[in-house]
Amino acid sequence: REDLWVREGKILNPEKLFFDEKGSADIQLDCKDSIIAPGFIDVQINGGFGVDFSLATDDFKSGIGLVSQKILSHGVTSFCPTLVTSPPSVYHQILPQISIRNGGAHGAGILGAHLEGPFISKEKKGAHPEHCLRTFEAGAFQDLLATYGSLDGVRIVTLAPEMKRSSEVIRELTKRGICVSLGHSVANLSQAEEAVQHGATFITHLFNAMLPFHHRDPGIVGLLTSDKIPAGRRVFYGMISDGIHTNPAALRIAHRAHPKGLVLVTDAIAGLGLAPGRHTLGQQVVEIDGLNTYIAGTKTLSGSVATMDTCVRHFQEATGCSVETALEAASLHPAQLLGIERKKGTLNYDSDADFLMLNDGLYVQATYIAGKEVWRQDALGM
């Protein structure tokens, strides 16, 4: 029922074309009744297809290239490669190899790294190796710089706000335009609110690896309805909507409490797209059993093997929300979180022409980046 006009990789306001230039389309494409939606943005993905972003290998660059290519079929047009808690040497080797780049036929665009840990709580470490965890005791921000080696190309840092001196670290990161996320934490609500007042804007996989909601002290979860959020600021929260990490009722509670902050993330690991069995997540061995991923020999969940389009469909089904709402949780909201909503996450004029064609069941039919088709279902005979 609508036309979408694209020129030079951007979504075009057709009035300019019709009235100023008296032009018309060079190429017309029949979308065959598809839904056109902004490309998905995954701000937390640890790897996939046998590639682990937390393992320093000789062919790290080709590994990241493989993942960025494969996730096009899931509708992801840009992402933040995520590193779990690792020794400093690993950050020093890997971070210089993660360069921010635009997407294209070669794969989804890279928006910058998400560093999840090692400044997190021992009690809520989840699948993160305890011997690599660190605190800010001595040098605060200097400790963080020494651990990571460099913050070039870093987009998001997940830390536990109850740690001593975390406030100054949050301020320093925020000053540099890095998004601070609260997670893997035993923080109470006032510690979480203080972190937001210092600049934190995100919660890493809500409900997972944090204190459960308690009516007298709701903990980090309480940020969803807190009245202590600075004016004009929105707190976003990631949800792994795979039907395993959070019960559908918990997903509904979060969504109804704070719909505009919900960001779908896959938290996918190297085993995404591979057969069940043993795979890695950074320093740990994990076992995949169906859609469940555990640290080998335990029942500790460690990331997911869900694809972004699966998460969108599950979210829509679990909450009964509108199709638009489900799609925005994977596109507009992550773009707003990263402050790139003028370029990505919408179909507004002058934004990047990264978009998907989906059928009514929200299965991806084709993926476009900068107005060029980079994946189509029938072309691969899938």
Side-chain angles (χ1 to χ4, degrees), residues 268-351:
I269 62 167
L272 167 69
L274 301 182
R278 291 194 163 212
H279 302 282
T280 66
L281 176 59
Q283 312 291 306
Q284 313 264 48
V285 176
V286 298
E287 240 164 315
I288 300 180
D289 173 15
L291 272 181
N292 292 294
T293 54
Y294 302 115
I295 291 183
T298 74
K299 286 292 175 200
T300 301
L301 284 175
S302 53
S304 86
V305 285
T307 61
M308 184 57 95
D309 53 324
T310 306
C311 291
V312 170
R313 289 189 295 270
H314 179 262
F315 169 56
Q316 206 242 336
E317 205 178 308
T319 60
C321 69
S322 67
V323 165
E324 292 86 345
T325 299
L327 295 169
E328 283 182 350
S331 54
L332 175 63
H333 296 175
Q336 290 170 328
L337 165 72
L338 297 176
I340 56 173
E341 70 272 23
R342 296 182 95 82
K343 292 200 324 217
K344 310 235 181 244
T346 74
L347 299 176
N348 295 344
Y349 299 149
D350 297 327
S351 60

Side-chain angles (χ1 to χ4, degrees), residues 66-112:
L66 175 77
V67 175
S68 63
Q69 170 79 73
K70 292 272 203 181
I71 57 180
L72 295 174
S73 65
H74 306 145
V76 178
T77 52
S78 43
F79 70 109
C80 294
T82 304
L83 277 72
V84 294
T85 296
S86 305
S89 60
V90 169
Y91 296 111
H92 295 204
Q93 278 172 281
I94 291 177
L95 287 179
Q97 300 188 68
I98 296 180
S99 37
I100 294 172
R101 63 164 170 79
N102 292 327
H106 57 273
I110 296 174
L111 300 169

Side-chain angles (χ1 to χ4, degrees), residues 120-121 124 159-162 182-188 209-211 220:
I120 57 173
S121 147
K124 292 290 174 190
L159 52 79
E162 70 275 14
L182 311 179
H184 287 279
S185 158
V186 292
N188 60 32
M210 60 188 62
L211 291 178
I220 291 178

Side-chain angles (χ1 to χ4, degrees), residues 185-260:
S185 158
V186 292
N188 60 32
L189 179 56
S190 64
Q191 288 167 324
E193 286 168 337
E194 192 184 333
V196 170
Q197 283 149 13
H198 286 118
T201 52
F202 194 39
I203 304 169
T204 297
H205 44 52
L206 188 78
F207 297 125
N208 293 111
M210 60 188 62
L211 291 178
F213 176 87
H214 188 280
H215 54 284
R216 276 194 289 280
D217 192 337
I220 291 178
V221 178
L223 287 176
L224 270 58
T225 55
S226 166
D227 56 0
K228 305 255 187 328
I229 307 295
R233 181 95 65 75
R234 186 187 304 179
V235 173
F236 292 90
Y237 58 96
M239 294 290 288
I240 309 169
S241 164
D242 60 357
I244 287 160
H245 277 76
T246 31
N247 183 288
L251 191 55
R252 287 191 284 274
I253 286 173
H255 177 246
R256 287 176 196 174
H258 184 27
K260 295 274 183 238

